[in-house]
C-alpha cells in the first residue's frame, strides 16, 4: 500500500447472528489487516438467550464464533487466542465449559485466558467468548463484500 492510500475497513454481521447494529455495534471489524470481534454469547438471531447452563451457553457462543470465522474464510484451526469471560468460573470452568472447549479445539491449542465475573451484560449470560485470528492481505483480498453481512465501512 502506498503512503496516503486509505485502508479498507470491513464490518462483519453475518446471517445467523442477531443484527448487532440494532443495538449499536458490529459483530466484527477488519481494519488495517486486523480482525476485531465482539464477545459472543449464547444469543440466537432472534436475540433470545439459548440455554440456562454453562455447557449449552458455551456451545452456542462457540457456534456464534464459528459463524463469524466462516464469514471471513477462517475456522477454529486458525484461532491463535481465546478470551473467555465466565460468571463464577470456580463452579463452571471445569464443570461444563471445559468440555465444550475440548470439543472445539485440538492440538496445537490456542492461547487461552479465562476471566471470572459476577455478571455479564445480560443477567442470563453465563459465558462470553472472543477470539484472535491472524489475517493476511490475501485473506482481506478474498473478502467478498455483499453490502450486508460483509460491508465496506
Amino acid at each position: 500500500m502506498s503512503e496516503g492510500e486509505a485502508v479498507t475497513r470491513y464490518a462483519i454481521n453475518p446471517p445467523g447472528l442477531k443484527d448487532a447494529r440494532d443495538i449499536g455495534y458490529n459483530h466484527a471489524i477488519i481494519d488495517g489487516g486486523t480482525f476485531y470481534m465482539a464477545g459472543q454469547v449464547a444469543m440466537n438471531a432472534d436475540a433470545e438467550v439459548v440455554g440456562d447452563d454453562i455447557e449449552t451457553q458455551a456451545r452456542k457462543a462457540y457456534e456464534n464464533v464459528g459463524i463469524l470465522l466462516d464469514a471471513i474464510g477462517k475456522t477454529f484451526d486458525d484461532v491463535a487466542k481465546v478470551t473467555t469471560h465466565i460468571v463464577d468460573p470456580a463452579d463452571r470452568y471445569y464443570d461444563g465449559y471445559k468440555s465444550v472447549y475440548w470439543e472445539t479445539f485440538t492440538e496445537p491449542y490456542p492461547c487461552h485466558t479465562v476471566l471470572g465475573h459476577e455478571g455479564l451484560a445480560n443477567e442470563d449470560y453465563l459465558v462470553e467468548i472472543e477470539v484472535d485470528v491472524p489475517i493476511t492481505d490475501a485473506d482481506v483480498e478474498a473478502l467478498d463484500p455483499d453490502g450486508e453481512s460483509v460491508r465496506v465501512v
Side-chain angles (χ1 to χ4, degrees):
M1 178 170 22
S2 62
E3 187 176 326
E5 186 177 334
V7 175
T8 303
R9 185 175 188 187
Y10 299 91
I12 316 293
N13 291 288
L17 300 180
K18 179 191 179 344
D19 190 341
R21 294 172 291 179
D22 293 344
I23 53 177
Y25 70 98
N26 290 287
H27 282 287
I29 296 285
I30 294 178
D31 191 359
T34 301
F35 174 73
Y36 303 94
M37 70 169 286
Q40 295 300 301
V41 294
M43 180 190 293
N44 65 21
D46 296 321
E48 299 164 331
V49 177
V50 175
D52 59 3
D53 63 272
I54 189 68
E55 189 172 343
T56 303
Q57 286 201 14
R59 193 166 280 112
K60 179 60 180 163
Y62 274 119
E63 178 185 320
N64 290 348
V65 169
I67 291 169
L68 277 173
L69 293 174
D70 186 59
I72 62 168
K74 296 292 185 176
T75 70
F76 285 106
D77 290 339
D78 298 306
V79 172
K81 183 173 189 324
V82 178
T83 302
T84 304
H85 304 265
I86 298 178
V87 174
D88 299 324
D91 295 332
R92 293 190 170 109
Y93 178 71
Y94 286 107
D95 188 19
Y97 170 79
K98 193 67 175 188
S99 63
V100 178
Y101 177 87
W102 290 118
E103 291 170 11
T104 306
F105 296 103
T106 58
E107 182 67 46
Y109 302 108
C111 301
H112 190 197
T113 299
V114 177
L115 303 168
H117 298 278
E118 289 183 22
L120 297 169
N122 177 310
E123 66 183 18
D124 294 329
Y125 295 153
L126 301 175
V127 63
E128 185 167 339
I129 300 167
E130 301 171 53
V131 300
D132 293 342
V133 179
I135 300 291
T136 66
D137 289 344
D139 293 329
V140 174
E141 289 172 15
L143 290 174
D144 186 20
D146 61 9
E148 192 57 35
S149 59
V150 177
R151 59 193 172 85
V152 176
V153 293

